[in-house]
Amino acid sequence: MKCPSCGASVGGRTVCPACGAVQPDPTGRSVARVKKLCTMTNLLIVSILLLILVVAGAVLGALFKPEPAFGYALGDTVTFWQSEDGYTAVRAGKLLSSGTEEPYRTFCSADLGLAAYVSNGRLTLADATGVHELPISAASVFCVSRDGSSVFYRDADGQTVQYTVALHRQHVIAADTAAASVTSLVPSPDGRSAVYAVTSIGDSAYVGSKMYFFNGSESIYIGRNAVPLATDNAGLCIYATSGGTVYRYTKENDERIPLGETLLPAAETNRDATEILFTGTDGTLLLAVPGKDTVRLAAGTCTLCEPRGCGRATVSSDTPSVVWHDFAHFSDVLYCTGAAVCRLTDGGLTEWFAAGWNSRILWSADEQYLFSLENGILVRRAADGSDDGTVLAENVTAFEISRDGKTVYYTDRAKTLYALSGSSKLRRVADDVSRIDVTGDGIFWFLVDDVWYVSVNVRSQKPVLSDVILLVKSDSTVYAVTADGLYATGGAEITKLADGAFVPAEN
């Protein structure tokens, strides 16, 4: 820096060493420059730019945020109870409606947030706000989309209709005639599209069928003599059976890829319906994933093991029977073969630990722990396979776990109930316990003779209901029947839903 009076070098001094002139304050210069920049126009521009960056960041974050591996049931499906007065609908421990007409089969979204069925000849929806009998004539419900955005049903005139819940919009997909009828339908995950089959009726009971892809506005012909199993949102991955073989179709052309032979018109799919699990002709499970060869999972029968609360839904009322699991990939879950619990790798199933068909396997809802009961020995393992397991107890007959897997209630052969929580010592809770349940809020319930108890924590127990005849678990709620009425859990308390004698209704 130079002196403005004589031009000599100042070197950051406040007074020039050559002429003695006082030097200007550099801070003042900087403040003046900042004041010049901070005009209203410049501040407005900067604010707009910052707002754009924040919004863009939020949008990009939403777009690229990884979807969780598993979905959890947010509530309960609708269940029906029968009494002398008719049928009572309940959901999540609440009374929804009562009527004399037998309800038709109920279908739910994967998160159990929406249920659809026919009552009094009308399309009826049930959600957290209650039961809504719509002014829409309906004969039966085909299914509800995974996210609950659409319901597909057959109306009183035989038309197959898509009902969009948010828009209250009805769109006729196909109409039954004297020679043809829609026999099966499976929606896309987002509910905007569907794949369905129209079966021709003639002199014989079955003549043939045609399969179509409904894109939300019109139907596209896909193939002949095929029974649909699943479709993705875009119709680029459509699964169906034809002539005893499972194929992958696309709406874009007539090509189809054979995936394996099957005897059953049944399947299980992942969240976006791009992966499919079906039973081969020898009874083994086969897994088909786009771009890969079909994998034979086991030499014999095997079943899926998912974290507790993992959402699922049945998405077809007629054949085929399709189960929709709310996880991203079939490689995310575990498999029970009757000999072992296995993980899925590129080469097929890899054994993790031995477990027979009589074993009970529970995976905690937070995905952290896996519990197994084998020959009376209760073991807890880290679900990622990072430990060898910890024996929690022996001579165990039954057990239940909390959502985080840190609290365990179990009974031994003497029917004594114990509770183990974290690093706390084992606590004896009650004797002569015949049943243990845990509700979605993590509260434990147990039965001693005909008295129902609640245990909010390992140090508490409280009798809440006597003369219990029947206990029924529905998703995250437990219902109790006595001689005088129907009760349900609600937090740490119970609620009487209705008077009378009840039994579970078939629907």
Side-chain angles (χ1 to χ4, degrees), residues 382-433:
D384 60 5
S386 59
D387 66 12
D388 296 327
T390 301
V391 175
L392 300 180
E394 298 183 2
N395 299 320
V396 175
T397 55
F399 74 98
E400 287 293 345
I401 62 173
S402 59
R403 284 186 63 87
D404 60 8
K406 294 180 180 179
T407 302
V408 184
Y409 281 60
Y410 69 87
T411 54
D412 62 11
R413 292 173 183 170
K415 294 186 177 181
T416 301
L417 178 64
Y418 295 91
L420 184 62
S421 181
S423 57
S424 302
K425 66 178 182 179
L426 184 66
R427 184 174 293 272
R428 183 170 179 165
V429 180
D431 296 320
D432 297 321
V433 174

Side-chain angles (χ1 to χ4, degrees), residues 80-272:
F80 297 93
W81 294 82
Q82 185 175 359
S83 67
E84 293 180 353
D85 297 328
Y87 296 87
T88 299
V90 296
R91 181 180 185 272
K94 295 180 180 180
L95 179 66
L96 298 180
S97 64
S98 298
T100 57
E101 184 177 353
E102 182 176 0
Y104 288 89
R105 191 174 177 186
T106 306
F107 294 90
C108 298
S109 57
D111 65 2
L112 301 178
L114 179 75
Y117 58 99
V118 175
S119 178
N120 300 313
R122 296 185 180 275
L123 179 63
T124 305
L125 305 183
D127 57 20
T129 64
V131 170
H132 310 280
E133 189 175 290
L134 306 181
I136 298 175
S137 298
S140 62
V141 174
F142 276 107
C143 50
V144 178
S145 64
R146 181 179 74 84
D147 60 359
S149 63
S150 294
V151 178
F152 295 84
Y153 69 96
R154 178 179 278 115
D155 68 13
D157 297 324
Q159 299 180 118
T160 298
V161 184
Q162 177 195 44
Y163 176 74
T164 306
V165 177
L167 300 177
H168 309 291
R169 173 177 172 267
Q170 300 172 66
H171 188 108
V172 176
I173 298 174
D176 285 358
T177 66
S181 173
V182 175
T183 52
S184 59
L185 181 147
V186 180
S188 63
D190 63 7
R192 298 180 182 178
S193 307
V195 59
Y196 65 96
V198 176
T199 300
S200 300
I201 305 298
D203 295 334
S204 61
Y206 174 81
V207 174
S209 66
K210 295 180 179 180
M211 185 172 66
Y212 296 86
F213 176 76
F214 171 69
N215 64 8
S217 59
E218 62 178 350
S219 295
I220 303 169
Y221 173 74
I222 301 297
R224 184 178 294 276
N225 293 331
V227 178
L229 296 173
T231 180
D232 64 348
N233 293 328
L236 300 178
C237 185
I238 299 172
Y239 293 103
T241 60
S242 180
T245 299
V246 176
Y247 292 91
R248 184 185 298 114
Y249 296 77
T250 173
K251 69 173 185 179
E252 301 295 338
N253 52 55
D254 296 330
E255 294 180 2
R256 62 181 186 178
I257 301 173
L259 304 174
E261 296 182 351
T262 183
L263 295 176
L264 301 174
E268 299 174 77
T269 71
N270 64 329
R271 177 182 294 141
D272 62 9

Side-chain angles (χ1 to χ4, degrees), residues 294-367:
T294 301
V295 177
R296 185 176 297 275
L297 296 186
T301 303
C302 69
T303 59
L304 296 183
C305 176
E306 310 155 315
R308 263 201 160 175
C310 184
R312 70 178 69 188
T314 302
V315 296
S316 181
S317 57
D318 300 320
T319 56
S321 174
V322 181
V323 178
W324 214 331
H325 298 275
D326 202 10
F327 51 70
H329 304 287
F330 277 104
S331 58
D332 293 334
V333 294
L334 300 170
Y335 297 81
C336 300
T337 64
V341 172
C342 304
R343 297 183 185 279
L344 181 60
T345 63
D346 291 339
L349 293 184
T350 300
E351 182 176 324
W352 180 12
F353 61 88
W357 283 126
N358 293 328
S359 303
R360 189 181 186 212
I361 309 296
L362 284 184
W363 194 347
S364 62
D366 67 354
E367 308 173 29

